Structure formats: structure tokens, C-alpha cells
Amino acid sequence: MRLLILGTGWMAQQHARQFGNIEGVELAGAVDIEPSRVDELSDTYGIPNRFTSLEDALTWGKFDAAANITPDRIHHPTTMKLIAAGKPVLCEKPLAENYVKASEMADAAERAGIINMVNLTYRNVAPLQKAREMVLAGEIGAVKHVEASYLQSWLVSKFWGDWRTDPKWLWRLSRGHGSNGVLGDVGIHILDFASYGAGLDIEHVFCRLKTFDKAPDNRIGEYELDANDSFTMALDFTNGALGVVHASRWATGHLNELRLRIFGDRGGIEVVHNLKGSELKVCIGGNIEDALWKTLDSGSVPTNYQRFVDAVRSGVPAEPSFRHAAELQKVLDLAVVAAERRAELTTHADTQ
Ligand SMILES: NC(=O)c1ccc[n+]([C@@H]2O[C@H](COP(=O)([O-])OP(=O)(O)OC[C@H]3O[C@@H](n4cnc5c(N)ncnc54)[C@H](O)[C@@H]3O)[C@@H](O)[C@H]2O)c1
């Protein structure tokens, strides 16, 4: 399978590494509007064909599928062009900046009948998959309560570079540069982690968003620092369970950590994933009497990259699809309105 990498910034290195390690996958071409970036990635990973526009890459056309790793607001226009050209796409998250655009992408991909996936990275976490299997098998009984968090600390630590000077962080702080803040950046990850892990669909949403002052006049150069830094969300699910989901870039002491706790009437499950690894703990059976938790081995699961390649080769669609990401985007859009109105909203109504 010949792959085109579209957008050769930070996350593209992960795609190049992961796809490059899959047997039979050739990194055939790379595109970035910044020539120095396309050269850097291509030199590092031996990519022979380099372009500074998607249009030029499409005219060349010698690729079977594309990984779209451009900034959030570029996903929609570029993916629509790839779909029109009949190319399967693994698109980075969030699929688009809003539900309307995300569902347009899902509609177009489905109409064209092409393989479409969104890189919800934490599907690669084996304990998450095992937790879901256990919930769906009824091992913890009826789920009553869910707690999930996504904690990052890049506004207080320089582990991944200094946000004050690094464009890859500055665009994430600025609505004018296409960012919906922490909600748009990692909200989709933690909503997927919570709802997929617990095997539940979200019905109602209430959300609070917060943007803290960070620089004089909240501006650095061309970047107005107006995107949200923290959110807290209250959810209820279609089975009647309640959920609390939150995320922050101010979570001092947590570089990148997702946690999910699922409580059923016959057991509890906890998944923790951070840069050191991931863990699954359960409290079930007789252990619920004295709250004894046991760590379980979850084995390993194929990555999204591998599953995308398998889907392109076999023609059999795989999840998470554009449609799934669009449905999560609907919850994120509702969260913004809920925060503005300080009111709970439902995922069922088309307009509220
Ligand atoms: N799945 C994950 O866990 C995960 C992690 C990090 C980032 N991401 C996502 O990956 C995407 C890229 O993030 P990043 O951190 O690599 O950003 P980045 O700014 O480092 O890289 C984006 C690159 O896209 C290029 N670009 C912009 N417009 C383009 C266009 N029209 N055509 C081609 N290239 C274009 C930029 O020049 C830049 O080199 C974002 O959507 C982000 O949300 C996902």
C-alpha cells in the first residue's frame, strides 16, 4: 500500500514511524505547505515524492491512501478533496471544527464508498478494549456512574516545548487559528475513551469552559490566546447512567494522562493510561464487599494504523469511522452552547 502523508509537522512523525513499520506499506509521498518541514520528514523517513500542495500530489496521484495530519481546520477542505479523488483517508482528530463539517465529511466518504477512519489514538490502549469487553459481557452489571479525565500540563511544563514560542502550541491556544481549545483538542479523545470504554451513548450534556489569562492582553504575536484551557462536563447516558468528564492543560504533574472509572452494580473498572504505560484494575465478584482491586493483564491490540491498512487492503470498513467522530463532534458542539447558556442540552434535537 502506497501512503501519502499530508501535513508533516509534529504528529506526522508518529504516523511515519507507525506506518513505516507495517509490512508492505510504502511511504510514497509527503505534502506540506512549508517546504522545510516536508523535506525534514521526507529526509528522515526516506519519502521519495515531496509536494507543497495537495493539488500537486493529487495530480501526481500515485498513492493508494492518505493520512491527513494537518491542523484541525484544514482537515475538512483537504479530506473532501481526497474523497473526491477516491482515496481512503485516516484523518487526525478532531475530524473537523464542528458537527456540520464533520458530518459533511462522513456523508461524502460514505457516498463514495471509501475507507474512512479517524485517529482516536486511545483505541490502541489494550486496557480500554478489555474494559469495554468486560462491560459488554455484563461482568460489572448495569453501569450507573462513569468518571473520566484527560490531564495535560503543557501550560506549566516545557516537556514538549514552550507554548510561549512554539507554533504547534500557539495555534492550539487561538480560536482564530482554528482551535476549539482543550475541548476541541482532547475533548474528542476523552469522550470516546469514556463512552467507548463504558459501551454507552451520550444523551445529555452540560459543560463549563474556562480560559485563563496567560500573557499581556492575552496575545502573543499573531495569536490571540482566547481558546479554552479547561473544561468540566456533566453527562447522562442513554441507559440512565451519569458521567463526569473533565480535561485541562493546567493539570500540573500530569504530562498526558487519561483515566476512566466505570462503576456498575456488580463491579468497578479503572483504566489509566499515561506516558509510562497503561493499566487495568477491576473490583468484581466477592471483592466488592471490601473494595479489593486487582490488576489484570490486557494483552495487546492492533493499532489504528494497522487497522486502517487492513481496511484499505480488504475493503472492509473499520472503526472509529468519520460517522462516529461526527457524532462525538455533535456532543462537543453542544458542550460549547451549553457553556454559553449555562443549560443542559440533548443530543437528540437537531436545533436547540
Ligand atoms: N491522535 C493524536 O493523539 C494526536 C496527537 C497530536 C496531534 N494530533 C492532531 O494532528 C493534527 C496535526 O497536529 P500537529 O501537532 O502535528 O500540528 P503541527 O502544526 O505540528 O503540524 C501540522 C502541519 O500541517 C501543515 N499544513 C498546514 N496546512 C496545510 C495544508 N493545507 N496542506 C498540507 N500541510 C498543511 C503545517 O505546515 C504543519 O507542518 C491536528 O489535527 C492534531 O489535533 C493528534
Side-chain angles (χ1 to χ4, degrees), residues 40-57:
E40 200 183 325
L41 190 89
S42 303
D43 288 345
T44 309
Y45 293 94
I47 303 174
N49 301 286
R50 305 164 186 201
F51 307 92
T52 50
S53 82
L54 173 59
E55 288 70 20
D56 289 350

Side-chain angles (χ1 to χ4, degrees), residues 6-12 31-34 37 69-72 74-75 78 92-94 119 121 168 171-172 185 189:
L6 174 65
T8 57
W10 189 48
M11 187 59 187
V31 188
D32 202 292
I33 50 171
E34 289 282 339
R37 288 200 201 136
I69 323 155
T70 56
D72 303 355
I74 312 293
H75 296 171
T78 49
E92 264 308 336
K93 48 52 61 175
N119 195 22
T121 309
K168 80 168 180 283
W171 73 254
R172 285 176 164 83
D185 194 20
H189 277 315

Side-chain angles (χ1 to χ4, degrees), residues 1 3 5 12-28 45 47 305 309:
M1 190 186 101
L3 185 80
I5 291 189
Q13 294 173 42
Q14 173 76 347
H15 283 250
R17 255 193 315 272
Q18 293 278 348
F19 278 117
N21 282 335
I22 299 174
E23 217 181 307
V25 174
E26 191 185 330
L27 304 179
Y45 293 94
I47 303 174
Y305 306 98
V309 171

Side-chain angles (χ1 to χ4, degrees), residues 69-147:
I69 323 155
T70 56
D72 303 355
R73 68 175 167 173
I74 312 293
H75 296 171
H76 176 273
T78 49
T79 297
M80 292 300 272
K81 285 181 189 160
L82 287 162
I83 294 170
K87 304 291 187 185
V89 186
L90 173 66
C91 186
E92 264 308 336
K93 48 52 61 175
L95 185 55
E97 315 104 280
N98 58 50
Y99 174 65
V100 172
K101 287 187 180 174
S103 50
E104 260 176 39
M105 292 160 79
D107 290 345
E110 285 166 10
R111 257 197 319 270
I114 58 158
I115 297 297
N116 57 93
M117 284 178 71
V118 176
N119 195 22
L120 295 175
T121 309
Y122 301 103
R123 294 286 182 105
N124 305 342
V125 172
L128 179 74
Q129 298 289 351
K130 174 100 177 159
R132 176 179 165 86
E133 257 173 54
M134 291 181 70
V135 172
L136 294 181
E139 292 191 42
I140 63 164
V143 175
K144 302 290 187 192
H145 194 90
V146 174
E147 180 194 317

Side-chain angles (χ1 to χ4, degrees), residues 10 152-174 177 179 185 211-229 248-252 255:
W10 189 48
Q152 295 187 324
S153 55
W154 54 266
L155 284 172
V156 288
S157 107
K158 296 190 187 66
F159 185 78
W160 279 321
D162 189 344
W163 61 267
R164 293 167 192 83
T165 51
D166 188 336
K168 80 168 180 283
W169 296 124
L170 284 165
W171 73 254
R172 285 176 164 83
L173 295 169
S174 180
H177 288 76
S179 175
D185 194 20
T211 310
F212 292 88
D213 291 345
K214 302 185 262 300
D217 296 328
N218 273 314
R219 172 174 286 283
I220 293 181
E222 64 182 276
Y223 300 90
E224 189 177 348
L225 309 181
D226 55 354
N228 56 80
D229 304 323
S248 182
R249 297 163 165 175
W250 291 106
T252 309
L255 293 169

